[in-house]
Amino acid sequence: MTRTLWDSSVGKKTVMAVSGLIMLLYLVVHMIGNLKIFFGSGEFNHYAHWLRTMGEPFLHYEWALWIVRVVLVAAVVLHATSAYQLSRRDIRARPASYVHRKPRAGYATRTMRWGGIILALFIVWHILDLTTGTVHPGGFQSGHPYQNVIDTFSTWYGNTIYIVAMLALGLHVQHGFWSAAQTLGAGNAARDRALKALANALALVLTLGFISVPVAVMTGVVS
Ligand code: HEM
């Protein structure tokens, strides 16, 4: 039963929708957390420390954070695997090229595929930049994310990578949220309109909220 569901296109789309919504929830929380940078280094670093101590004393140091990490990794893997398998299926199902070229996937599909690839690459870069410090410009200081964020957004390539990724994120969330709602069967005309508006609002708020951080550093509002 589970096997048949996973093998079906509807099953894969459901997996994409649910894993996508889990990541979306994380993004809303992460974006709100990032805005604490506007309240200064003390508050921002304190918040980052709290991410590691949340759940104490019931949970040990960093356990809650590791639970979030495991859930996110599972969501990313399931989302990417089903996206890849659905797109292979889609390509195989297309008629062989009988004129000059194969019919191309539509605009939304292509945007989602490229957006997904850009975001996957961005997440790897972002973790190496601000979590492990491997590609971080300047001396990465564990436990001092405020200074690390300032260092990243003091380079032209840091700003470029993050801003391009956030624009890709906005487009991905806008279309992805809408598709997820369709898959999970939200549809009637009035509700569809409301969901489309919600998809647009979420995409806009996330993009502007995330981009406000590099922009604030570039303009010296945060330093
Ligand atoms: C301008 C935008 C962003 C900024 C300034 C930012 C900032 C940060 C910072 C400072 C950390 C390290 C937190 C700490 O160690 O205490 C972090 C971790 C992380 N961020 Fe972001 N972030 C941004 C956008 C994003 C986006 C768009 C995603 C996902 C698509 C994302 C996913 C993550 C993940 C998965 C972690 C690792 C959490 C962990 O395992 O410790 N971030 N971010």
Side-chain angles (χ1 to χ4, degrees):
M1 167 65 193
T2 340
R3 184 84 238 156
T4 337
L5 191 64
W6 169 248
D7 283 343
S8 71
S9 293
V10 179
K12 288 184 199 304
K13 283 184 184 166
T14 308
V15 170
M16 288 206 73
V18 174
S19 55
L21 290 174
I22 291 171
M23 292 189 281
L24 183 60
L25 178 66
Y26 170 78
L27 283 171
V28 171
V29 174
H30 189 30
M31 189 274 286
I32 295 172
N34 283 351
L35 295 179
K36 300 209 81 177
I37 202 144
F38 290 99
F39 299 100
S41 65
E43 201 153 323
F44 192 69
N45 291 344
H46 180 244
Y47 159 68
H49 178 69
W50 172 80
L51 289 175
R52 285 147 180 91
T53 58
M54 72 185 149
E56 281 185 358
F58 178 64
L59 297 175
H60 188 68
Y61 182 75
E62 281 204 348
W63 278 13
L65 184 61
W66 275 104
I67 293 169
V68 173
R69 286 170 173 164
V70 169
V71 171
L72 279 179
V73 169
V76 169
V77 169
L78 287 170
H79 201 76
T81 313
S82 27
Y84 178 75
Q85 293 175 341
L86 280 168
S87 72
R88 295 301 309 161
R89 206 169 267 200
D90 184 36
I91 289 164
R92 272 201 308 276
R94 247 176 266 155
S97 67
Y98 50 86
V99 203
H100 294 299
R101 61 191 176 93
K102 288 187 186 182
R104 292 177 69 188
Y107 168 75
T109 310
R110 276 182 288 135
T111 315
M112 289 312 272
R113 286 181 192 162
W114 280 108
I117 292 168
I118 291 172
L119 288 169
L121 292 173
F122 165 75
I123 292 168
V124 173
W125 176 268
H126 181 44
I127 289 175
L128 293 175
D129 178 24
L130 288 173
T131 301
T132 65
T134 322
V135 298
H136 188 70
F140 178 79
Q141 300 177 60
S142 182
H144 296 87
Y146 185 90
Q147 191 55 45
N148 295 333
V149 168
I150 304 276
D151 291 345
T152 287
F153 298 131
S154 301
T155 63
W156 67 266
Y157 62 88
N159 288 317
T160 311
I161 292 172
Y162 277 79
I163 292 173
V164 168
M166 292 318 105
L167 295 174
L169 177 76
L171 290 174
H172 206 79
V173 166
Q174 184 189 29
H175 185 75
F177 182 82
W178 167 245
S179 300
Q182 298 306 299
T183 301
L184 300 176
N188 71 44
R191 213 183 300 157
D192 273 5
R193 256 197 313 280
L195 282 165
K196 214 161 222 167
L198 183 59
N200 292 344
L202 269 171
L204 192 68
V205 168
L206 278 176
T207 308
L208 293 180
F210 275 124
I211 285 186
S212 70
V213 180
V215 168
V217 178
M218 279 192 280
T219 53
V221 171
V222 166
S223 61

